[in-house]
Amino acid sequence: MNLFTVETRSRTDFLNIDRPVAEAIQAIGLTDGIITVFIPHTTAGVTINENADPDVLADMEQVLDRTVPWSDGYRHSEGNTAAHVKASMMGSSVQVIVENGQLQLGTWQSLFLCEFDGPRTRQVWVKGI
Ligand code: ZN
């Protein structure tokens, strides 16, 4: 397994992690196979979505905030229930095909770490098979 850390910049943040994931694939030495990108946190997740128009990410944040308000009479005493729910909505892992040592993503796709309780230091784990 390979891992790297990222610094998120605000409570909600979508960080493009294509480059460090590509570096992890090189470090692993995987040329053809599948990688799993796993986020070992309960208030951050990972997703694949559009890298071209940043408004897509802004709209995703808006929809998530509207769907899961920060305060809504939740029970969890830490006060970050919305972040837990959003992290589960995004999911904690994605799989991507690797061919010739390169991530196989669609033209407009990138990998995004999804922060919902930042800013924080987050780990990303990468395992190839
Ligand atoms: Zn919590």
Side-chain angles (χ1 to χ4, degrees):
M1 185 183 78
N2 192 281
L3 68 85
F4 60 89
T5 61
V6 296
E7 305 289 336
T8 62
R9 301 161 292 191
S10 52
R11 176 183 282 175
T12 301
D13 198 5
F14 293 92
L15 276 182
N16 186 323
I17 54 172
D18 288 354
R19 181 172 298 178
V21 169
E23 291 169 356
I25 291 167
Q26 286 192 326
I28 292 166
L30 183 70
T31 53
D32 288 279
I34 295 172
I35 56 152
T36 296
V37 178
F38 180 82
I39 309 299
H41 303 289
T42 61
T43 55
V46 62
T47 195
I48 296 173
N49 216 299
E50 174 160 335
N51 60 24
D53 180 0
D55 282 344
V56 171
L57 297 172
D59 287 347
M60 285 177 61
E61 179 175 355
Q62 178 182 324
V63 170
L64 289 168
D65 284 345
R66 188 183 298 146
T67 306
V68 188
W70 186 257
S71 297
D72 198 17
Y74 307 122
R75 298 179 185 179
H76 177 45
S77 61
E78 196 184 12
N80 61 353
T81 288
H84 288 290
V85 173
K86 291 172 184 172
S88 279
M89 290 169 76
M90 295 294 101
S92 59
S93 68
V94 294
Q95 289 188 311
V96 184
I97 296 167
V98 174
E99 286 190 355
N100 301 315
Q102 304 295 312
L103 277 172
Q104 300 299 299
L105 291 167
T107 302
W108 307 112
Q109 287 183 320
S110 281
L111 290 155
F112 292 94
L113 180 136
C114 310
E115 174 65 78
F116 297 114
D117 195 18
R120 295 186 190 222
T121 301
R122 298 297 198 175
Q123 285 190 2
V124 181
W125 296 356
V126 181
K127 176 76 175 182
I129 58 172

